[in-house]
Amino acid sequence: MYAEIIIPLALPRNYTWSIPDHLLPKVGVGGRVEVSLKNKKYAGIVKQLHRDKPEAFLPKPIEGIIDQWPIVHARQLALWAWMADYYMCSEGEVMAAALPAHFKLSSASILLFNDTYGDDFTDLDNEEYVVAEGLLIKKELRMAEIQQLLDATHVYPVVKSLIDKGVALVWEALQDTYKVRQEKYVILNPEYDAEEKLADLMNNWSKGPKQLELLLAYLHLFKTQGIVTQKELLQKSGASSAQLKGLSDKKVLFIEQRQVDRLQYLPKSIQIDFTLSEAQEKALAEVETHFAEKPVCLLHGITSSGKTLVYIKLIEAYLRQGKQILYLLPEIALTAQVIRRLQKHFGGYIAIYHSKFNQNERVEIWNKVKNGEIKAVLGARSSLLLPFKDLGLVIVDEEHDASFKQQEPAPRYHARDTAIYYAHLHSAQVLLGSATPSIESYYNALQGKYGLVTLTERFGGVRLPPISLVDTRKVVREDKGKVLLSPDLKEAINQTIERDRQVILFQNRRGYTPYQVCNSCGWIPECRNCAVTLTFHKQAHKWQCHYCGTSYPILYTCPACGGHNFTQKSFGTERVEEVLQETFPLSRVARMDLDTVRGKTAHEQLIKQFEDKRIDILVGTQMVVKGLDFEHVDLVGILDADSMLHFADFRVHERAYQLMEQVSGRAGRRTETGTVMIQVSDTKHPVLQFVQAHDYKAMYDYEIQSRQQFGYPPYSRLIRITFRHKLEPTVMEGAETFAAVLRGEFGAYMTGPAAPVVQRVRNQYLMELLIKLPRDGHMIQKSKQAIRQAEAMMHQDKRYRSLVIVPDVDPA
């Protein structure tokens, strides 16, 4: 018997290993095994078992079994295969993206001793004891050293067991490496369960008075809580660990270690305390009707129309059927607010999952989802890769959002499209929701591929906010720079604050100043590694590159001419925050961008402060305007709409409309109508007319004509191939050579190769080739095969061996 095994590497195909007879009964699809490749060991996942011996080579034997049970389901393996094929990557890369770090051991791993475990190894078996002793002495061991210690090849099961028991940690992810969390619990000796025995003990107490206090504290906690932890008991009694140990030695109380969850879950319950409006009831009924005929439905509901209430009703229905539900959101910031609403209705049925969870927490959620213990998951893009056991419904909220597309590293998948395929594997339904659907999704709905349901009125009858344009060309500025706060916007902010209402201001650039220029010679500070200008961050007092993250000290003298006179061009959220604090000194101003919400709970804390009216003015980047629901916001301001309307991308009009409409939707979501002010110089731009009229259909009709005329999606499929190399001539020659290979068959569909707007990132020069194919599955598959062959051919040439070739299917 042989096994096709996936290991977490970017290999062109999965490799085959033979199964020794003694391991045959234990090897199962979806479980991890220990294998060797090029003298390195990996924890690989068995994809399939077969009897076809490879002809070209003699397969090596599997060296050991790591898991007693599979860690992934067969449907998940099918999803990985589809993602690898569709998005032109390897199944190993998909595996690396999907699995928590603890599941991806390799021979490069270093095992560290966990000092908190202590030196009591009585619970370990012989092999575990040998490794634990070695770790206690050396504090760290490499896999090769463990192999020598055990004089055996099957080291991974032993290592896994030591990690599970908390004896060891893996160096690659110290705090991220999974180990069971244990808590010490205090238990009364069962001998004293009878009241007479306990009364006799208390009446004839001959020990110290502090120990009696400790026992009384235990009895009180046990009566009120049912279970007593050592930590709680010591806090309540004010006693020391030594005094508790004294009672333990006398066998009055016992101390017991138990495994506990890191994540606390509420009791499971279903409590729906609202009734849908007539429009929402109608929409829900239409969605259910479409689901009977089509697996995918698009819910197009204007901002604040109550789409979330429709989602909640659907979640209730699927929970009552015992099915699992996945609720996808594009931003981690959104999960903080939505989880509170869902937990109110569903309690512990709902779990949250995103990339800011540490690896220990991820493993716990992974196992609970795999076993069907967690019924509903709310999360960002990565939650799609969890091993659902019986998925019934996928909700993709804000389905239009570009954040659903993974950029780096591979797999470069789109969570919305991948969710549709994953749901298909489970025979589940998918509900796409948005106030501003993507052109592709709306086109599919109009073509009858998806069901289409519309919600055209705001919940509670609140009207959509009026939108006024502020012509920045009419605002006089002495320095002739960009207008930050126009007089009209300042006045509107002032009036809103006086009414004790809140303001949101949107500026899609973080930092203080996007770039500076020397007034004498025109020199502009640029990143040494990337062909981009440096952004000035005043609070950190540094220049920073937003592409590679490199920081630079501030220069006060121009290195080109020696001048000292610099002008700051444009503005970022940090500067907006400073100007607001100067202009409105009595108001509480806060900023939400990548620099201020780095912690796991930072999003949630900031949003909660704004909800509780502890912030008057909130300024931020896109994360402040996507789907958030604030009751007291009366004014929303877009500070620089020109930056959204003018750049080279076929989706520029669609994205600008979506962003501005989403921003405007944050205003007046309850009783007030609210106001939206857009500062812009190009007031006649057609997108602004659509935004002012809140007319998505007009924007769609305008945009779809251009897409059809120039052959862009949804009338075509795009594959963008990016070439990277540290030498500019090599990347240019390599891109042209690659294009020449494809030109014979696909030349009519190719654009480029050409340098992108940013020509160098992280010291790598870039070239791009765009292939625009008709919607023909056979031709698309044929082109992917041609691209793979061309890439293999290029890497056979020593000139281009180090040329990085990155295909991106359906680029955002």
Side-chain angles (χ1 to χ4, degrees):
M1 287 292 290
Y2 300 93
E4 180 185 336
I5 294 172
I6 308 168
I7 58 176
L9 297 176
L11 301 172
R13 50 169 293 183
N14 296 328
Y15 293 169
T16 297
W17 277 263
S18 65
I19 307 173
D21 292 341
H22 70 283
L23 294 180
L24 197 52
K26 301 175 184 176
V27 175
V29 172
R32 287 180 304 160
V33 292
E34 185 180 347
V35 295
S36 290
L37 182 68
K38 289 188 176 178
N39 298 321
K40 286 191 176 181
K41 290 182 179 291
Y42 297 94
I45 285 186
V46 178
K47 182 183 178 183
Q48 63 170 321
L49 304 174
H50 59 85
R51 294 185 178 275
D52 303 325
K53 182 183 177 184
E55 294 179 5
F57 64 95
L58 181 66
K60 290 182 177 180
I62 289 171
E63 296 181 13
I65 308 294
I66 300 175
D67 300 304
Q68 188 177 357
W69 309 106
I71 63 164
V72 294
H73 298 302
R75 278 187 285 239
Q76 201 176 12
L77 292 173
L79 176 71
W80 292 4
W82 178 84
M83 288 175 71
D85 177 64
Y86 186 85
Y87 290 106
M88 300 187 68
C89 61
S90 70
E91 288 178 64
E93 288 171 305
V94 182
M95 173 188 170
L99 294 187
H102 166 61
F103 291 147
K104 297 178 291 189
L105 294 168
S106 74
S107 59
S109 305
I110 298 173
L111 218 60
L112 300 183
F113 183 66
N114 182 11
D115 290 318
T116 59
Y117 185 86
D119 57 3
D120 181 6
F121 299 148
T122 51
D123 292 338
L124 307 183
D125 67 22
N126 289 342
E127 290 184 323
E128 292 166 357
Y129 182 87
V130 170
V131 179
E133 280 287 322
L135 282 170
L136 184 64
I137 297 163
K138 285 195 69 176
K139 298 303 181 188
E140 65 176 59
L141 292 171
R142 295 181 179 274
M143 290 293 185
E145 293 173 312
I146 296 171
Q147 214 166 315
Q148 287 175 340
L149 271 177
L150 298 177
D151 192 22
T153 55
H154 61 288
V155 297
Y156 279 29
V158 179
V159 169
K160 176 183 182 292
S161 182
L162 288 172
I163 294 169
D164 287 344
K165 291 177 179 178
V167 180
L169 308 169
V170 176
W171 179 82
E172 291 148 312
L174 265 178
Q175 294 174 333
D176 296 340
T177 302
Y178 181 66
K179 59 183 184 298
V180 172
R181 182 178 181 178
Q182 297 193 326
E183 184 98 55
K184 288 183 178 177
Y185 286 81
V186 181
I187 304 161
L188 183 68
N189 187 332
E191 184 184 325
Y192 301 110
D193 282 350
E195 286 188 23
E196 313 85 64
K197 285 266 189 185
L198 185 61
D200 185 52
L201 174 72
M202 306 285 278
N203 293 332
N204 299 296
W205 192 263
S206 58
K207 291 100 181 166
K210 200 68 187 173
Q211 288 188 346
L212 178 60
E213 279 180 43
L214 206 155
L215 181 59
L216 289 168
Y218 168 83
L219 294 170
H220 179 261
L221 281 172
F222 182 77
K223 192 171 182 180
T224 54
Q225 295 180 190
I227 55 172
V228 182
T229 66
Q230 178 178 305
K231 185 178 177 183
E232 287 174 324
L233 178 58
L234 294 178
Q235 281 178 344
K236 182 170 178 63
S237 63
S240 66
S241 300
Q243 287 161 337
L244 176 60
K245 188 174 185 301
L247 279 179
S248 175
D249 291 342
K250 294 177 177 74
K251 294 188 168 46
V252 175
L253 296 175
F254 294 143
I255 299 168
E256 183 181 282
Q257 278 207 339
R258 296 182 191 169
Q259 183 177 334
V260 295
D261 284 344
R262 285 178 170 76
L263 300 167
Q264 299 302 310
Y265 296 95
L266 298 171
K268 291 180 178 179
S269 63
I270 299 178
Q271 296 176 336
I272 307 299
D273 58 356
F274 62 85
T275 54
L276 298 179
S277 68
E278 190 179 328
Q280 289 169 328
E281 284 280 10
K282 183 171 177 284
L284 178 60
E286 288 179 11
V287 168
E288 289 170 339
T289 302
H290 282 302
F291 277 166
E293 301 167 359
K294 297 182 175 78
V296 185
C297 182
L298 173 64
L299 176 59
H300 176 207
I302 62 170
T303 54
S304 197
S305 59
K307 294 185 291 296
T308 307
L309 299 184
V310 177
Y311 302 156
I312 289 169
K313 280 289 190 180
L314 277 169
I315 291 169
E316 178 196 9
Y318 281 86
L319 278 179
R320 293 194 188 280
Q321 294 173 33
K323 295 282 190 179
Q324 289 180 303
I325 298 109
L326 172 60
Y327 189 140
L328 283 173
L329 285 161
E331 291 273 2
I332 295 170
L334 288 176
T335 59
Q337 193 176 49
V338 176
I339 192 68
R340 290 200 297 272
R341 297 181 68 177
L342 294 185
Q343 284 177 338
K344 176 186 171 187
H345 299 297
F346 304 115
Y349 278 116
I350 298 284
I352 191 169
Y353 185 88
H354 51 64
S355 58
K356 288 201 175 179
F357 277 19
N358 68 44
Q359 298 296 339
N360 292 329
E361 293 165 333
R362 288 195 208 186
V363 169
E364 287 185 7
I365 294 175
W366 180 280
N367 288 329
K368 288 178 187 290
V369 171
K370 180 172 69 74
N371 298 333
E373 194 177 329
I374 288 177
K375 288 297 182 188
V377 175
L378 170 74
R381 186 177 61 226
S382 58
S383 58
L384 175 64
L385 301 172
L386 287 169
F388 289 91
K389 185 179 182 181
D390 187 15
L391 191 61
L393 175 69
V394 180
I395 296 168
V396 186
D397 199 10
E398 310 296 339
E399 67 84 27
H400 64 276
D401 201 291
S403 300
F404 278 127
K405 172 71 172 175
Q406 163 79 0
Q407 302 295 342
E408 291 289 343
R412 295 171 182 82
Y413 66 102
H414 198 296
R416 176 196 62 215
D417 302 337
T418 307
I420 291 171
Y421 184 80
Y422 196 21
H424 161 72
L425 292 174
H426 282 265
S427 300
Q429 269 74 41
V430 180
L431 182 62
L432 309 177
S434 177
T436 54
S438 64
I439 296 290
E440 288 91 335
S441 292
Y442 201 72
Y443 175 83
N444 284 334
L446 293 182
Q447 296 294 309
K449 186 176 178 181
Y450 302 164
L452 177 61
V453 178
T454 56
L455 266 171
T456 55
E457 61 182 55
R458 278 187 150 191
F459 187 68
V462 179
R463 290 186 296 113
L464 284 164
I467 296 174
S468 60
L469 304 180
V470 179
D471 191 344
T472 54
R473 291 172 302 179
K474 295 178 180 178
V475 180
V476 179
R477 278 200 59 168
E478 292 179 13
D479 61 1
K480 297 181 180 179
K482 280 204 168 191
V483 175
L484 198 154
L485 292 177
S486 63
D488 290 352
L489 184 55
K490 282 182 192 174
E491 180 60 28
I493 293 171
N494 213 28
Q495 290 176 6
T496 305
I497 300 299
E498 285 177 0
R499 293 199 308 273
D500 195 29
R501 305 292 285 178
Q502 291 174 299
V503 179
I504 289 178
L505 298 178
F506 168 70
Q507 170 62 2
N508 208 21
R509 283 178 178 272
R510 61 188 177 97
Y512 190 83
T513 309
Y515 69 99
Q516 296 178 214
V517 58
C518 173
N519 287 338
S520 304
C521 69
W523 177 81
I524 297 172
E526 285 193 1
C527 178
R528 286 192 293 266
N529 307 317
C530 313
V532 292
T533 58
L534 295 172
T535 299
F536 174 45
H537 286 251
K538 189 173 184 179
Q539 199 169 337
H541 196 66
K542 63 185 180 185
W543 279 329
Q544 188 175 340
C545 173
H546 286 178
Y547 277 75
C548 68
T550 306
S551 298
Y552 299 84
I554 303 298
L555 297 179
Y556 298 99
T557 303
C558 174
C561 69
H564 305 289
N565 192 4
F566 290 92
T567 298
Q568 295 174 341
K569 295 288 185 180
S570 193
F571 54 88
T573 49
E574 195 179 353
R575 187 167 174 212
V576 175
E577 181 186 28
E578 181 183 273
V579 170
L580 287 167
Q581 286 168 340
E582 292 170 358
T583 312
F584 306 100
L586 301 178
S587 298
R588 294 160 297 180
V589 180
R591 170 164 54 97
M592 184 190 277
D593 57 27
L594 199 63
D595 300 315
T596 61
V597 289
R598 292 195 181 274
K600 184 164 72 176
T601 59
H603 283 108
E604 190 171 358
Q605 290 167 357
L606 195 52
I607 289 167
K608 194 80 175 69
Q609 286 176 355
F610 195 63
E611 284 179 331
D612 296 343
K613 293 190 73 175
R614 285 181 281 160
I615 297 168
D616 300 311
I617 307 171
L618 182 63
V619 57
T621 52
Q622 288 190 32
M623 63 177 69
V624 83
V625 298
K626 292 180 178 180
L628 292 169
D629 184 11
F630 299 120
E631 187 175 346
H632 307 288
V633 174
D634 259 17
L635 175 66
V636 169
I638 298 173
L639 301 182
D640 183 17
D642 291 301
S643 63
M644 290 186 268
L645 293 167
H646 301 108
F647 60 90
D649 189 301
F650 75 93
R651 288 195 177 94
V652 61
H653 293 161
E654 176 191 2
R655 293 271 164 80
Y657 175 85
Q658 287 167 341
L659 204 46
M660 284 190 261
E661 187 65 18
Q662 291 286 340
V663 174
S664 67
R666 301 317 107 207
R669 294 176 68 89
R670 291 295 187 274
T671 54
E672 305 284 335
T673 303
T675 307
V676 179
M677 300 183 76
I678 300 175
Q679 294 186 160
V680 64
S681 62
D682 187 2
T683 55
K684 301 297 182 187
H685 198 288
V687 170
L688 294 171
Q689 320 311 314
F690 304 141
V691 172
Q692 279 190 294
H694 298 288
D695 194 343
Y696 172 83
K697 190 68 171 65
M699 185 281 295
Y700 173 83
D701 291 339
Y702 171 82
E703 188 65 14
I704 203 74
Q705 288 177 11
S706 301
R707 301 281 182 94
Q708 189 170 18
Q709 183 181 352
F710 296 105
Y712 278 105
Y715 296 100
S716 66
R717 300 297 285 277
L718 300 183
I719 301 176
R720 182 177 62 209
I721 303 165
T722 303
F723 305 88
R724 301 179 191 150
H725 198 274
K726 62 182 179 181
L727 301 176
E728 189 174 15
T730 303
V731 79
M732 291 176 74
E733 291 167 16
E736 190 52 55
T737 305
F738 187 96
V741 175
L742 298 182
R743 202 165 276 135
E745 195 166 358
F746 300 99
Y749 309 113
M750 286 165 46
T751 304
V757 176
V758 179
Q759 300 177 15
R760 185 167 54 94
V761 174
R762 294 185 177 91
N763 264 333
Q764 298 268 309
Y765 288 93
L766 308 180
M767 291 288 283
E768 287 181 352
L769 175 65
L770 188 68
I771 306 177
K772 198 191 305 180
L773 296 159
R775 293 175 66 89
D776 176 339
H778 176 70
M779 176 170 280
I780 292 165
Q781 201 59 36
K782 193 176 177 183
S783 70
K784 287 179 181 177
Q785 188 60 33
I787 291 167
R788 289 189 184 99
Q789 288 175 350
E791 184 178 357
M793 186 203 75
M794 292 287 290
H795 286 153
Q796 292 298 314
D797 188 329
K798 63 180 182 181
R799 293 174 299 168
Y800 306 124
R801 206 157 283 165
S802 57
L803 179 68
V804 179
I805 302 170
V806 180
D808 187 5
V809 180
D810 301 336

